[in-house]
Amino acid sequence: MTTARTWAVALTGVDGHLVEVEADMSNQTPEFRIIGLPDKSLGEAVQRVHNACKNAGLDLPRRRLTVNLSPASLPKHGAGFDLGIAMACLAAGGSIEARSIAATVHIGELGLDGRIRPVPGVLPAVFAAAQGGFETVIVPRGNEAEARLVPGVEIRAAASLAEVAVWHGADVEAPDVEAVEVTTAVHTRGDSLDLADVVGQEDAVDALVVAAAGGHHMLLSGPPGAGKTMLARRLPGILPALGEQEALEVASVRSLSGEAVAALDPLPPLEAPHHSASVAALVGGGSRTARPGAIARAHRGVLFLDEAAEFSRVALDALRQPLESGVIEVHRAGFTATFPARFQLLLAMNPCPCGNHGVRGAECVCPPMSIRRYSTRLSGPLRDRIDIDLQVNRVAASRAMAGERGELSTAQARDRVAAARARAASRWKGTRWRRNGDVPGTWLRQGPHRLPSVTRSPLDRALERGALTLRGYDRVLRVAWTMADLAEIERPGIDEIGRALHLRRGLPR
């Protein structure tokens, strides 16, 4: 046999593309070449495959060996093709059965000693193989747990190249070797924070429940120590648990980030990048392979930007496109990677650089121009995409030291949110929307759920005066519908419109 074929997977964002790995051996000057638009790390697979085969007792014949990765026009990145290249080469040389590898997808990086190392992105790669109709996928043993999250596929986990070769009919001994484990930290859960720990912020807690029930974006403004971060970190705990498909999407993004994924986590993720984060850290990217940034890692969860005014203006404006479309695109020379990015945005900021502007009993040392400049760090278009703008004040010392607990616990809030979302899902049954925050404004202004003119009158006046844009008008309507769902009434009245408008303007009570 001089020609053999097997399969691997190329990842572009979370999308996997099946790649046919062809190996051809000819009686010419010994040479080993890889063609088909490989990147530098993939081009170095020549030496890795050669040494791994030799140390596994599977020497390649000294002949000209050409490996083609098809389709040739698709860019291929990373060392996850090593195992597939080695299997195709060994089959071309007659060491293993070509028919066996032709129906199998191989994923894994080879060490020089023949061990198979884990690679990022195994979960979306196995998912792509399943969608392509393959029934067997061989993965590194360190990636076995996440590979088995994809149903309907036979997963065979191997620790060494010799072990895989024996499965395909090689006449070698497969020694017991210690599997290489994933070295990155496992994603930690954050569901131990209770909303009852928040004392003296009843208005903020109510607004947080509204944001969770409708999937609304929120801005918390207030001095240091008011509890903005404390509130924000409790938002994922009151969100409904992720469904199986949603949890699989979240796990796929984590796998691409290099995190260890052992099981599907139903808790919505919380991403809280530091205010010094660059645009690439938020959006994602890389010179050779596109890795997801904080925006993509917050998919189906919460993106919390603490000290939002300290982020660069360019980084903040990068949020505008994914807030509208629910995806983030990373453009690089030769390829475009698309990541899912349907998240809730939660911002927190101080009223001024020193944090004391407008605080009773505190002295603000910031000049007026500095205060004005600080308040405009969030651009108008970004603010226009915020549904709830709430001012949070410090809690009185007497309440903070009294040892009391908040009236609403995380479990109670989660039940209220789940009930409100169930009512919204029933209303929008037959459409692709399930949350009020996702419904287009035209459906609320012109569709069968249009509110009477008397109910809309405060909104209409605000729009005529220029106090609201049309996008802001739609967002107030969405929040009002969420308030109606929480109040268990059929549709919002003028009270719900007024409260939603109040939260939109960010006025203190």
mmCIF file of all heavy atoms in Angstrom, residues 264-292:
data_model
loop_
_atom_site.group_PDB
_atom_site.id
_atom_site.type_symbol
_atom_site.label_atom_id
_atom_site.label_comp_id
_atom_site.label_asym_id
_atom_site.label_seq_id
_atom_site.Cartn_x
_atom_site.Cartn_y
_atom_site.Cartn_z
ATOM 1 N N LEU A 264 -20.645 18.644 31.941
ATOM 2 C CA LEU A 264 -21.433 19.813 31.570
ATOM 3 C C LEU A 264 -21.884 20.528 32.838
ATOM 4 O O LEU A 264 -22.487 19.935 33.723
ATOM 5 C CB LEU A 264 -22.644 19.399 30.735
ATOM 6 C CG LEU A 264 -22.347 18.776 29.366
ATOM 7 C CD1 LEU A 264 -23.642 18.455 28.635
ATOM 8 C CD2 LEU A 264 -21.480 19.707 28.520
ATOM 9 N N ASP A 265 -21.561 21.813 32.934
ATOM 10 C CA ASP A 265 -21.889 22.607 34.112
ATOM 11 C C ASP A 265 -23.155 23.401 33.834
ATOM 12 O O ASP A 265 -23.188 24.217 32.910
ATOM 13 C CB ASP A 265 -20.733 23.556 34.432
ATOM 14 C CG ASP A 265 -20.890 24.233 35.781
ATOM 15 O OD1 ASP A 265 -21.988 24.124 36.371
ATOM 16 O OD2 ASP A 265 -19.927 24.856 36.254
ATOM 17 N N PRO A 266 -24.232 23.198 34.600
ATOM 18 C CA PRO A 266 -25.471 23.938 34.347
ATOM 19 C C PRO A 266 -25.441 25.380 34.840
ATOM 20 O O PRO A 266 -26.350 26.147 34.530
ATOM 21 C CB PRO A 266 -26.522 23.127 35.122
ATOM 22 C CG PRO A 266 -25.756 22.503 36.240
ATOM 23 C CD PRO A 266 -24.389 22.209 35.685
ATOM 24 N N LEU A 267 -24.413 25.761 35.599
ATOM 25 C CA LEU A 267 -24.343 27.132 36.110
ATOM 26 C C LEU A 267 -23.872 28.079 35.017
ATOM 27 O O LEU A 267 -22.826 27.859 34.407
ATOM 28 C CB LEU A 267 -23.386 27.206 37.297
ATOM 29 C CG LEU A 267 -23.250 28.590 37.954
ATOM 30 C CD1 LEU A 267 -24.521 28.942 38.699
ATOM 31 C CD2 LEU A 267 -22.054 28.634 38.889
ATOM 32 N N PRO A 268 -24.614 29.165 34.724
ATOM 33 C CA PRO A 268 -24.154 30.135 33.721
ATOM 34 C C PRO A 268 -22.795 30.710 34.104
ATOM 35 O O PRO A 268 -22.543 30.978 35.284
ATOM 36 C CB PRO A 268 -25.249 31.210 33.754
ATOM 37 C CG PRO A 268 -26.454 30.510 34.266
ATOM 38 C CD PRO A 268 -25.940 29.510 35.258
ATOM 39 N N PRO A 269 -21.906 30.888 33.150
ATOM 40 C CA PRO A 269 -20.555 31.376 33.469
ATOM 41 C C PRO A 269 -20.559 32.857 33.836
ATOM 42 O O PRO A 269 -21.451 33.617 33.444
ATOM 43 C CB PRO A 269 -19.776 31.137 32.173
ATOM 44 C CG PRO A 269 -20.814 31.176 31.104
ATOM 45 C CD PRO A 269 -22.066 30.597 31.715
ATOM 46 N N LEU A 270 -19.553 33.258 34.585
ATOM 47 C CA LEU A 270 -19.316 34.654 34.930
ATOM 48 C C LEU A 270 -17.889 34.989 34.540
ATOM 49 O O LEU A 270 -16.941 34.383 35.034
ATOM 50 C CB LEU A 270 -19.518 34.891 36.434
ATOM 51 C CG LEU A 270 -19.093 36.275 36.956
ATOM 52 C CD1 LEU A 270 -19.992 37.369 36.370
ATOM 53 C CD2 LEU A 270 -19.135 36.322 38.482
ATOM 54 N N GLU A 271 -17.733 35.957 33.648
ATOM 55 C CA GLU A 271 -16.418 36.434 33.238
ATOM 56 C C GLU A 271 -16.244 37.855 33.747
ATOM 57 O O GLU A 271 -17.100 38.716 33.505
ATOM 58 C CB GLU A 271 -16.273 36.400 31.716
ATOM 59 C CG GLU A 271 -16.068 35.008 31.144
ATOM 60 C CD GLU A 271 -14.739 34.406 31.531
ATOM 61 O OE1 GLU A 271 -13.735 35.151 31.620
ATOM 62 O OE2 GLU A 271 -14.697 33.182 31.757
ATOM 63 N N ALA A 272 -15.139 38.102 34.454
ATOM 64 C CA ALA A 272 -14.888 39.420 35.032
ATOM 65 C C ALA A 272 -13.455 39.842 34.722
ATOM 66 O O ALA A 272 -12.575 39.760 35.593
ATOM 67 C CB ALA A 272 -15.142 39.392 36.537
ATOM 68 N N PRO A 273 -13.159 40.279 33.491
ATOM 69 C CA PRO A 273 -11.795 40.687 33.143
ATOM 70 C C PRO A 273 -11.383 41.954 33.882
ATOM 71 O O PRO A 273 -12.223 42.786 34.249
ATOM 72 C CB PRO A 273 -11.868 40.929 31.634
ATOM 73 C CG PRO A 273 -13.307 41.243 31.369
ATOM 74 C CD PRO A 273 -14.090 40.433 32.355
ATOM 75 N N HIS A 274 -10.080 42.107 34.116
ATOM 76 C CA HIS A 274 -9.544 43.291 34.776
ATOM 77 C C HIS A 274 -9.668 44.490 33.850
ATOM 78 O O HIS A 274 -9.679 44.353 32.622
ATOM 79 C CB HIS A 274 -8.076 43.052 35.153
ATOM 80 C CG HIS A 274 -7.510 44.080 36.074
ATOM 81 N ND1 HIS A 274 -6.748 45.148 35.631
ATOM 82 C CD2 HIS A 274 -7.616 44.225 37.420
ATOM 83 C CE1 HIS A 274 -6.393 45.893 36.655
ATOM 84 N NE2 HIS A 274 -6.902 45.353 37.765
ATOM 85 N N HIS A 275 -9.743 45.684 34.458
ATOM 86 C CA HIS A 275 -9.960 46.879 33.619
ATOM 87 C C HIS A 275 -8.752 47.210 32.745
ATOM 88 O O HIS A 275 -8.857 48.055 31.843
ATOM 89 C CB HIS A 275 -10.329 48.084 34.496
ATOM 90 C CG HIS A 275 -9.294 48.447 35.527
ATOM 91 N ND1 HIS A 275 -8.134 49.069 35.205
ATOM 92 C CD2 HIS A 275 -9.280 48.252 36.873
ATOM 93 C CE1 HIS A 275 -7.421 49.278 36.312
ATOM 94 N NE2 HIS A 275 -8.094 48.774 37.338
ATOM 95 N N SER A 276 -7.616 46.560 32.982
ATOM 96 C CA SER A 276 -6.458 46.773 32.109
ATOM 97 C C SER A 276 -6.476 45.843 30.899
ATOM 98 O O SER A 276 -5.539 45.865 30.099
ATOM 99 C CB SER A 276 -5.165 46.548 32.903
ATOM 100 O OG SER A 276 -5.096 45.209 33.389
ATOM 101 N N ALA A 277 -7.521 45.027 30.750
ATOM 102 C CA ALA A 277 -7.591 44.070 29.644
ATOM 103 C C ALA A 277 -7.582 44.795 28.298
ATOM 104 O O ALA A 277 -8.229 45.828 28.124
ATOM 105 C CB ALA A 277 -8.846 43.207 29.780
ATOM 106 N N SER A 278 -6.875 44.222 27.349
ATOM 107 C CA SER A 278 -6.800 44.810 26.013
ATOM 108 C C SER A 278 -8.018 44.434 25.193
ATOM 109 O O SER A 278 -8.846 43.618 25.601
ATOM 110 C CB SER A 278 -5.530 44.322 25.309
ATOM 111 O OG SER A 278 -5.599 42.917 25.109
ATOM 112 N N VAL A 279 -8.105 45.014 24.005
ATOM 113 C CA VAL A 279 -9.203 44.671 23.101
ATOM 114 C C VAL A 279 -9.138 43.197 22.718
ATOM 115 O O VAL A 279 -10.158 42.503 22.683
ATOM 116 C CB VAL A 279 -9.147 45.558 21.837
ATOM 117 C CG1 VAL A 279 -10.244 45.167 20.865
ATOM 118 C CG2 VAL A 279 -9.270 47.025 22.202
ATOM 119 N N ALA A 280 -7.922 42.699 22.463
ATOM 120 C CA ALA A 280 -7.777 41.282 22.091
ATOM 121 C C ALA A 280 -8.196 40.364 23.238
ATOM 122 O O ALA A 280 -8.746 39.286 23.003
ATOM 123 C CB ALA A 280 -6.338 40.998 21.691
ATOM 124 N N ALA A 281 -7.952 40.778 24.490
ATOM 125 C CA ALA A 281 -8.346 39.947 25.627
ATOM 126 C C ALA A 281 -9.860 39.858 25.735
ATOM 127 O O ALA A 281 -10.399 38.834 26.164
ATOM 128 C CB ALA A 281 -7.765 40.512 26.917
ATOM 129 N N LEU A 282 -10.558 40.908 25.347
ATOM 130 C CA LEU A 282 -12.022 40.890 25.384
ATOM 131 C C LEU A 282 -12.595 40.185 24.160
ATOM 132 O O LEU A 282 -13.470 39.320 24.272
ATOM 133 C CB LEU A 282 -12.569 42.319 25.453
ATOM 134 C CG LEU A 282 -12.439 43.069 26.774
ATOM 135 C CD1 LEU A 282 -12.977 44.487 26.619
ATOM 136 C CD2 LEU A 282 -13.187 42.353 27.875
ATOM 137 N N VAL A 283 -12.119 40.551 22.989
ATOM 138 C CA VAL A 283 -12.685 40.047 21.738
ATOM 139 C C VAL A 283 -12.171 38.647 21.426
ATOM 140 O O VAL A 283 -12.908 37.798 20.927
ATOM 141 C CB VAL A 283 -12.366 41.013 20.585
ATOM 142 C CG1 VAL A 283 -12.794 40.436 19.246
ATOM 143 C CG2 VAL A 283 -13.039 42.347 20.824
ATOM 144 N N GLY A 284 -10.893 38.384 21.733
ATOM 145 C CA GLY A 284 -10.267 37.128 21.372
ATOM 146 C C GLY A 284 -9.357 37.324 20.190
ATOM 147 O O GLY A 284 -9.315 38.389 19.562
ATOM 148 N N GLY A 285 -8.584 36.301 19.868
ATOM 149 C CA GLY A 285 -7.698 36.391 18.718
ATOM 150 C C GLY A 285 -6.428 35.612 18.937
ATOM 151 O O GLY A 285 -6.351 34.699 19.768
ATOM 152 N N GLY A 286 -5.395 35.993 18.226
ATOM 153 C CA GLY A 286 -4.123 35.284 18.218
ATOM 154 C C GLY A 286 -3.518 35.380 16.838
ATOM 155 O O GLY A 286 -4.235 35.506 15.845
ATOM 156 N N SER A 287 -2.204 35.318 16.762
ATOM 157 C CA SER A 287 -1.547 35.493 15.470
ATOM 158 C C SER A 287 -1.698 34.269 14.572
ATOM 159 O O SER A 287 -1.744 34.385 13.354
ATOM 160 C CB SER A 287 -0.058 35.797 15.692
ATOM 161 O OG SER A 287 0.557 34.756 16.433
ATOM 162 N N ARG A 288 -1.787 33.063 15.185
ATOM 163 C CA ARG A 288 -1.874 31.840 14.384
ATOM 164 C C ARG A 288 -3.226 31.161 14.529
ATOM 165 O O ARG A 288 -3.827 30.729 13.566
ATOM 166 C CB ARG A 288 -0.759 30.874 14.791
ATOM 167 C CG ARG A 288 0.632 31.401 14.505
ATOM 168 C CD ARG A 288 1.691 30.452 15.029
ATOM 169 N NE ARG A 288 3.038 30.976 14.808
ATOM 170 C CZ ARG A 288 4.141 30.430 15.294
ATOM 171 N NH1 ARG A 288 4.052 29.320 16.017
ATOM 172 N NH2 ARG A 288 5.316 30.968 15.059
ATOM 173 N N THR A 289 -3.668 31.022 15.753
ATOM 174 C CA THR A 289 -4.978 30.421 16.002
ATOM 175 C C THR A 289 -5.821 31.414 16.771
ATOM 176 O O THR A 289 -5.307 32.197 17.566
ATOM 177 C CB THR A 289 -4.856 29.119 16.805
ATOM 178 O OG1 THR A 289 -4.227 29.404 18.058
ATOM 179 C CG2 THR A 289 -4.050 28.086 16.046
ATOM 180 N N ALA A 290 -7.125 31.395 16.525
ATOM 181 C CA ALA A 290 -8.044 32.311 17.196
ATOM 182 C C ALA A 290 -8.545 31.671 18.481
ATOM 183 O O ALA A 290 -9.206 30.634 18.447
ATOM 184 C CB ALA A 290 -9.213 32.654 16.273
ATOM 185 N N ARG A 291 -8.220 32.273 19.607
ATOM 186 C CA ARG A 291 -8.701 31.809 20.897
ATOM 187 C C ARG A 291 -9.833 32.732 21.354
ATOM 188 O O ARG A 291 -9.797 33.940 21.117
ATOM 189 C CB ARG A 291 -7.579 31.823 21.930
ATOM 190 C CG ARG A 291 -6.520 30.744 21.711
ATOM 191 C CD ARG A 291 -7.102 29.362 21.943
ATOM 192 N NE ARG A 291 -6.101 28.298 21.848
ATOM 193 C CZ ARG A 291 -5.389 27.855 22.874
ATOM 194 N NH1 ARG A 291 -5.576 28.388 24.077
ATOM 195 N NH2 ARG A 291 -4.524 26.884 22.716
ATOM 196 N N PRO A 292 -10.844 32.190 22.032
ATOM 197 C CA PRO A 292 -11.945 33.035 22.490
ATOM 198 C C PRO A 292 -11.506 33.995 23.590
ATOM 199 O O PRO A 292 -10.707 33.642 24.460
ATOM 200 C CB PRO A 292 -12.972 32.014 23.017
ATOM 201 C CG PRO A 292 -12.171 30.799 23.327
ATOM 202 C CD PRO A 292 -11.045 30.766 22.351
#
